[in-house]
Amino acid sequence: MFDLILGDGYPYPYPEGLTEQEQDDLAASLAVEDMRLKGVVSVEWRFELTIEFVDRESYDAAKATTGWEAWDEGALLLSATLEGREGRGDIPALIVGDKAYCRWMIVKGKD
């Protein structure tokens, strides 16, 4: 079992017209860990990014926190919202509400 950690969450959509200093200040304020989704069993990126959870409690908590749509309710799979234009390079950002996350990590969960 793992935790999916989302970090470097910046405003979505990205504000236009920021000065270089404002962009630097925004970048400096980003948290390495902004959100932690617990109870992740697997992450698969094929045609979309899906996240499977170990139990209904973890699934429901992640769904409520992220607003992501169910990919398969019975299998406890969510489909992450991605946005290519908001990412870095060729990697799309994960969208949660009014934030775009460019950092995500999978770490061993604590039992």
Side-chain angles (χ1 to χ4, degrees):
M1 179 171 59
F2 299 92
D3 293 349
L4 176 62
I5 298 172
L6 303 181
D8 288 356
Y10 53 88
Y12 173 75
Y14 194 80
E16 293 187 29
L18 296 180
T19 66
E20 275 193 53
Q21 184 61 52
E22 289 170 327
Q23 291 181 52
D24 290 346
D25 292 346
L26 178 60
S29 72
L30 301 179
V32 172
E33 181 177 334
D34 197 26
M35 180 180 298
R36 183 180 288 247
L37 306 178
K38 297 182 178 197
V40 174
V41 174
S42 69
V43 175
E44 179 181 19
W45 189 341
R46 190 169 179 201
F47 302 111
E48 60 189 298
L49 183 66
T50 57
I51 298 99
E52 179 184 7
F53 293 88
V54 69
D55 56 28
R56 173 64 57 184
E57 181 181 354
S58 299
Y59 171 88
D60 288 343
K63 188 174 183 186
T65 299
T66 63
W68 293 340
E69 296 293 323
W71 191 83
D72 184 331
E73 182 89 21
L76 304 176
L77 283 162
L78 292 177
S79 176
T81 303
L82 300 173
E83 176 57 62
R85 294 181 306 260
E86 293 291 333
R88 291 184 179 153
D90 293 331
I91 307 298
L94 279 79
I95 306 300
V96 177
D98 63 352
K99 283 194 175 181
Y101 292 94
C102 280
R103 176 187 293 228
W104 59 281
M105 300 174 282
I106 300 171
V107 297
K108 187 174 183 335
K110 297 176 182 168
D111 298 317

